[in-house]
Amino acid sequence: MSDYLTISSRNLSRRKTRTFLTLLGILIAIGALVALVSLSNGLMHSVEEVFEQMGRDKIMVMPTLAGFVPIGEQFSSYEHDAIKRVPGVIDAAAMTFKIGLAEFGGETAFVYVSGVSTDSSMRVLEDMQNLVVEDGRNLISQDRFRAVVGCRYAQGRVFSREVKVRDTITVEGHRFKVAGILECIGSEQDDTTIMIPLDVSKEVLNVDKYFSVVAQASPAFEIDEVANEVEKRIRDIRGQKEGDQDFSVQTSDQLLETFNQTVGMISVLLVALSLVSIIVAGVVIMNTLYTNVLERRREIGVMKSIGAKNYHIALLFLTEALIISLAGGLLGLGLGFGVSKIVQVVANSYLGADILIVRLDLYLFSFAMLFSIGLGMFASFYPAMKAAKMHPVDAMRE
Amino acid sequence: MEVLLLAAKHLRRLSFRSWVTIIGIVISVAAIVALTSLGDGLRTAVTGQFEQLGANRIIVSPGRSFELGGPLGASFSTTSLGERDLDEIRRVTGVELATGVMTKPGTIEFAGKEINTFVAGAEIDSDTIRLAMQTDDIKAEKGRFLREGDQRSVYIGSRIAYDMFEREIRLGDKLVIESRRFNVVGIQAESSIPFNNRMIRIPIDEFKDIFGIRDSEYNMIIVSVADGYDIDLVSDRITRALRRFRRVKEGQEDFEVQTTQQIISSYETLLTVVQMVVVGIVSISLVVGGIGISNTMFTSVLERTREIGVMKSIGARNGHIMSIFLMESGFLGLVGGIIGLAVGALLAFSVEFTAGLAGFGMIKVSISAGLILFALAFSFGVGVLSGVIPALRAARLNPAETLRYE
């Protein structure tokens, strides 16, 4: 075996330019594949992380949406109370949601305004949205005209002046004192939302129904059964039949599954797109080895005439391909991972939160290496066979 | 010309290796051409849908509601547009007609089943109806559109008529909307805009009555521009008029004025970005293919060292040698480009055909002259570029050395 390695590497180094170019081809193709796969894995991982922090015990109740717009009825406080009373529900928080006019430092802007429960159930929302107060404090049940604002207010990305704790923001003509500023969540909508107490929001935003209700299920109950019960209770209140309802009830796991399906589809698409480069790289390898075979006809003839078997010759060329594809795969891993790390840094600094974390795990490592080696073997098969089957006399006559 | 012939002659000689090299280019050009032409086709399909709404329209909506799902997003907005805003818009020079639309989610009942959908209140004076009829999207398949003097009449989308209830809805059927009975006077032909197919339209006075609205709160106001006026100028004038009327400063408007062209181009931008990412990823393969060309050219320089020596010794300049090799590699690229173009087009059309069978007939592949030129120029360019270093090496060979080379 070590003989094969020495002979092959000597052959490769004798044709430095060609070896280098072939290597470059694989490197780029594998690099693209690794970058795309590691980025979409990173994305999927962070989505899972978010859901993990949100907890597996949440049940989201929302009106039927068309895109982002509710066409189903929103929820009354009677329905909210009914959800709280479903066996297995520990607590349920409610939210209102509107686009409202906000004013600060002489500037106005249309921003997302959300009224949130400030009683004990607030904890459910905090968990669910992964809210962390960076500065000041969160809303408490005694609060009236107090607001907690998203991080982009503090960065001066909504109004040109930066909003600080204890500043006053006017929302729909009412003055709110800023009680706290949230850490960046990473989505534009969340990071530009102003949160105010639920009851106050009903007056200020002129709404009487809740856009969504989030319930927390007790660990002693089967969450899917609790969710079904919630669904049934609201159907009964509304007099709707199963299948005709104008709202949806989803558990955290169901939501996660939807997300993962979407991200999974995108990553399959990306891999498929980078496969084009891989195939082309395979063609390049094949061409290089084929040329090598042609150039070394004589050498092959000599080896055969001093007793080399067909498989010796074939192994020699396969080893060459193995060396090239191993090196190409390793370098490609490095390149691809470097590119996705750069994307990670840029994306996270833009979003202001550590949303995307790219990691090189064993799975990705072996995936890329196997891919690269498989590619090399596949592409070298035909040239190696061609070399092996050469007739010694013909080969030497050349 | 002579150079080109010489290059072609060599290609014939180098056949197998050249062809493998070309295959690399063929694959990447085919992928690029197929994805670009499909993307173009998809974009044309999407913008075509919007163009049916009329290219000379201006849409005025409450602040920021557009980003939350178009006109329906207005249900999230705390501001609204009223009767007096509408009057203000009607007075702007260049405005031919302006009509307000109110949309709300509502329940409708038919054949014992209740569903939720969008209910729209439409003005039914003869002018507004003329405006509505100018767009293709509202044509009746059966019956007629609402008309002046209609009472308790409803015009329904095709999905409502055919898919939502156990029994098909026919003209003259009674539909219960928010517990009042309406008479179906027309069924809209299937619209390319999905939510239109789930929309039902009733006269605006009855709409207000049903939902208990006293003052008009329009989700959007649709304006048509009179012939001979520039749509962007009219749109600016509307913005200024509303700013004055609503007493807001520039940059702080609580309403949005958009021309259909602007709406179309924002969707177009989005689709273009997606297409660029996709084509960008696939283009990496062209780089790999280019490396393949370089590789082949290096080998061919090596093999023809002697020949180069002979050419040089009978007076060929470095420039001559260089252009022979550059032409050759460019030629490899170009041949790959031509075949790739054909394969890519074939691929795109077969996708179009399959999609058509699967019911997505709106995707029409478009292979523009621009795309063809681009693909050919690009593949030739990649070929030439990949040949530069090998050609330089060939040109700089020392004639004495080359003749000695075996």
Side-chain angles (χ1 to χ4, degrees):
Chain A
M1 190 63 218
S2 69
D3 281 347
Y4 289 117
L5 278 177
T6 3
I7 299 175
S8 304
S9 40
R10 204 172 52 223
N11 275 323
L12 288 175
S13 58
R14 204 186 299 156
R15 296 172 178 78
K16 280 203 187 68
T17 324
R18 198 186 299 156
T19 308
F20 169 73
L21 284 174
T22 313
L23 201 66
L24 197 63
I26 308 177
L27 185 152
I28 292 173
I30 296 287
L33 180 77
V34 168
L36 292 171
V37 172
S38 68
L39 279 175
S40 59
N41 277 353
L43 195 66
M44 213 180 301
H45 190 81
S46 19
V47 169
E48 255 159 52
E49 194 104 310
V50 168
F51 276 93
E52 209 56 56
Q53 278 164 355
M54 148 197 309
R56 291 269 158 104
D57 56 353
K58 302 294 183 296
I59 298 170
M60 264 69 61
V61 190
M62 294 251 250
T64 302
L65 299 179
F68 197 69
V69 183
I71 55 170
E73 191 76 30
Q74 300 195 19
F75 304 95
S76 63
S77 49
Y78 177 75
E79 286 166 332
H80 178 208
D81 290 337
I83 293 173
K84 279 185 183 168
R85 281 196 304 270
V86 169
V89 170
I90 297 177
D91 214 341
M95 295 172 72
T96 58
F97 178 75
K98 279 248 163 168
I99 295 177
L101 183 67
E103 198 186 324
F104 180 72
E107 283 174 77
T108 58
F110 275 87
V111 300
Y112 299 108
V113 185
S114 184
V116 296
S117 297
T118 49
D119 57 8
S120 61
S121 67
M122 172 147 212
R123 198 178 30 81
V124 181
L125 278 184
E126 275 175 34
D127 265 19
M128 151 92 183
Q129 296 190 309
N130 196 15
L131 303 178
V132 181
V133 178
E134 188 168 21
D135 203 3
R137 61 164 176 82
N138 208 341
L139 295 172
I140 52 173
S141 56
Q142 293 91 329
D143 280 341
R144 292 275 297 155
F145 288 90
R146 293 273 192 280
V148 168
V149 301
C151 70
R152 293 205 184 187
Y153 289 93
Q155 297 167 342
R157 287 166 82 174
V158 179
F159 301 108
S160 48
R161 218 181 90 199
E162 291 168 13
V163 176
K164 294 196 182 59
V165 175
R166 283 184 294 279
D167 278 348
T168 302
I169 290 189
T170 308
V171 178
E172 289 291 316
H174 298 265
R175 292 160 61 83
F176 284 84
K177 200 165 175 188
V178 175
I181 291 164
L182 295 174
E183 246 179 34
C184 283
I185 294 165
S187 87
E188 191 198 337
Q189 192 189 325
D190 288 330
D191 291 337
T192 58
T193 295
I194 297 182
M195 293 201 313
I196 58 178
L198 189 66
D199 292 336
V200 176
S201 79
K202 289 185 181 174
E203 301 164 31
V204 172
L205 303 177
N206 190 25
V207 289
D208 57 354
K209 295 217 165 174
Y210 304 134
F211 179 63
S212 71
V213 175
V214 183
Q216 185 180 5
S218 152
F221 285 77
E222 194 65 52
I223 183 162
D224 290 330
E225 280 167 24
V226 178
N228 283 340
E229 190 55 36
V230 167
E231 199 170 323
K232 190 170 168 295
R233 196 62 62 89
I234 299 185
R235 244 184 352 239
D236 287 348
I237 294 173
R238 298 188 172 185
Q240 293 169 339
K241 273 177 269 163
E242 201 169 344
D244 281 351
Q245 63 199 46
D246 63 348
F247 62 94
S248 74
V249 177
Q250 281 190 299
T251 63
S252 338
D253 279 348
Q254 286 166 338
L255 272 181
L256 176 63
E257 201 173 310
T258 323
F259 267 107
N260 272 349
Q261 271 170 1
T262 317
V263 180
M265 251 170 58
I266 294 173
S267 74
V268 166
L269 182 77
L270 291 179
V271 170
L273 289 176
S274 55
L275 269 184
V276 178
S277 306
I278 303 253
I279 294 171
V280 176
V283 172
V284 173
I285 301 180
M286 187 161 123
N287 209 4
T288 304
L289 287 177
Y290 189 75
T291 311
N292 283 357
V293 172
L294 282 187
E295 282 177 358
R296 279 151 56 194
R297 294 171 83 124
R298 258 205 168 141
E299 198 181 318
I300 295 168
V302 171
M303 285 198 276
K304 281 202 158 182
S305 56
I306 57 171
K309 294 263 163 51
N310 281 2
Y311 73 86
H312 287 137
I313 307 291
L315 267 179
L316 204 59
F317 283 94
L318 288 177
T319 314
E320 269 182 39
L322 186 71
I323 293 173
I324 294 187
S325 54
L326 260 179
L330 274 176
L331 292 174
L333 257 173
L335 174 76
F337 191 61
V339 168
S340 46
K341 270 287 173 197
I342 293 171
V343 172
Q344 171 189 325
V345 171
V346 173
N348 286 348
S349 80
Y350 175 75
L351 294 173
D354 283 339
I355 294 293
L356 188 65
I357 291 166
V358 193
R359 243 180 306 220
L360 184 64
D361 51 10
L362 193 67
Y363 163 76
L364 180 59
F365 180 84
S366 31
F367 175 71
M369 287 318 286
L370 282 178
F371 220 99
S372 180
I373 293 168
L375 179 74
M377 293 297 102
F378 186 75
S380 61
F381 188 74
Y382 175 70
M385 282 305 127
K386 177 120 184 160
K389 286 190 183 138
M390 253 176 206
H391 197 275
V393 179
D394 286 346
M396 289 192 45
R397 198 187 299 146
E398 182 80 357
Chain B
M1 199 58 227
E2 219 172 311
V3 176
L4 207 69
L5 275 177
L6 205 60
K9 216 163 70 196
H10 273 303
L11 278 180
R12 233 187 0 233
R13 188 142 48 93
L14 298 173
S15 60
F16 184 78
R17 195 193 311 145
S18 310
W19 283 118
V20 176
T21 313
I22 286 170
I23 286 172
I25 300 292
V26 168
I27 294 171
S28 39
V29 172
I32 292 171
V33 167
L35 288 170
T36 308
S37 61
L38 280 172
D40 285 349
L42 194 65
R43 205 164 51 205
T44 320
V46 172
T47 53
Q49 289 181 5
F50 282 100
E51 250 147 36
Q52 288 181 350
L53 288 174
N56 68 335
R57 298 294 150 88
I58 295 171
I59 292 166
V60 186
S61 51
R64 264 188 101 180
S65 57
F66 231 91
E67 71 192 72
L68 288 181
L72 299 162
S75 58
F76 278 123
S77 193
T78 48
T79 59
S80 62
L81 297 162
E83 201 62 50
R84 296 176 60 196
D85 296 293
L86 186 57
D87 289 341
E88 203 62 34
I89 293 171
R90 284 184 172 138
R91 276 200 289 275
V92 171
T93 328
V95 170
E96 187 192 14
L97 288 169
T99 181
V101 179
M102 292 189 213
T103 315
K104 277 201 180 297
T107 53
I108 60 175
E109 195 192 318
F110 179 71
K113 189 184 168 192
E114 213 174 74
I115 60 159
N116 288 279
T117 190
F118 305 108
V119 183
E123 310 236 19
I124 51 168
D125 57 284
S126 54
D127 281 346
T128 303
I129 287 175
R130 192 162 50 78
L131 171 72
M133 288 331 243
Q134 284 170 5
T135 59
D136 292 341
D137 219 65
I138 211 165
K139 292 262 150 59
E141 180 186 83
K142 291 180 190 156
R144 58 167 178 85
F145 191 64
L146 300 172
R147 66 173 167 226
E148 206 161 357
D150 265 350
Q151 276 181 341
R152 291 297 165 97
S153 301
V154 59
Y155 186 70
I156 63 177
S158 59
R159 276 207 59 201
I160 301 280
Y162 305 128
D163 298 340
M164 307 288 260
F165 298 101
E166 264 149 53
R167 185 159 82 69
E168 259 185 35
I169 301 181
R170 287 193 216 103
L171 294 182
D173 276 344
K174 297 275 184 284
L175 211 58
V176 179
I177 306 169
E178 297 279 323
S179 23
R180 313 237 184 132
R181 289 155 71 84
F182 282 75
N183 195 7
V184 177
V185 296
I187 296 169
Q188 190 184 330
E190 181 157 347
S191 161
S192 45
I193 297 165
F195 77 69
N196 267 351
N197 293 327
R198 288 187 61 174
M199 181 87 90
I200 64 173
R201 295 166 210 268
I202 57 177
I204 201 158
D205 291 333
E206 289 171 323
F207 179 91
K208 287 196 212 166
D209 205 24
I210 287 180
F211 290 101
I213 300 167
R214 222 164 294 137
D215 304 312
S216 297
E217 296 163 10
Y218 297 119
N219 292 51
M220 62 172 176
I221 293 174
I222 303 174
V223 179
S224 78
V225 177
D227 281 345
Y229 284 91
D230 182 79
I231 185 166
D232 293 317
L233 278 182
V234 177
S235 146
D236 282 348
R237 268 188 224 131
I238 292 175
T239 311
R240 263 176 294 164
L242 283 182
R243 217 154 44 204
R244 210 167 36 235
F245 175 67
R246 297 172 75 97
R247 300 207 177 126
V248 289
K249 274 180 270 173
E250 192 169 352
Q252 304 190 351
E253 291 89 352
D254 54 356
F255 59 89
E256 280 169 316
V257 181
Q258 281 177 298
T259 64
T260 26
Q261 277 312 321
Q262 285 167 334
I263 298 171
I264 292 170
S265 62
S266 66
Y267 276 91
E268 226 174 348
T269 312
L270 181 74
L271 286 174
T272 308
V273 168
V274 172
Q275 193 186 18
M276 272 166 60
V277 170
V278 167
V279 172
I281 293 173
V282 170
S283 298
I284 296 173
S285 66
L286 205 55
V287 177
V288 180
I291 291 172
I293 295 185
S294 283
N295 219 346
T296 302
M297 292 314 294
F298 268 117
T299 312
S300 122
V301 170
L302 219 59
E303 283 175 354
R304 277 145 61 192
T305 308
R306 255 224 158 113
E307 199 181 316
I308 295 168
V310 172
M311 285 198 279
K312 280 200 161 181
S313 52
I314 58 170
R317 298 266 171 80
N318 282 4
H320 291 140
I321 308 286
M322 178 113 183
S323 51
I324 287 174
F325 280 93
L326 278 186
M327 271 299 160
E328 206 172 300
S329 65
F331 198 75
L332 282 179
L334 189 63
V335 171
I338 292 169
I339 303 175
L341 194 63
V343 174
L346 204 70
L347 216 63
F349 281 114
S350 51
V351 170
E352 178 194 300
F353 181 71
T354 323
L357 289 184
F360 297 99
M362 76 232 192
I363 300 175
K364 287 273 170 282
V365 168
S366 73
I367 296 179
S368 56
L371 178 62
I372 295 175
L373 262 171
F374 174 79
L376 295 185
F378 209 68
S379 48
F380 181 72
V382 166
V384 170
L385 217 65
S386 317
V388 167
I389 301 175
L392 265 177
R393 185 179 280 190
R396 285 190 186 146
L397 287 173
N398 181 339
E401 295 269 326
T402 48
L403 285 173
R404 203 187 306 143
Y405 182 86
E406 204 195 326

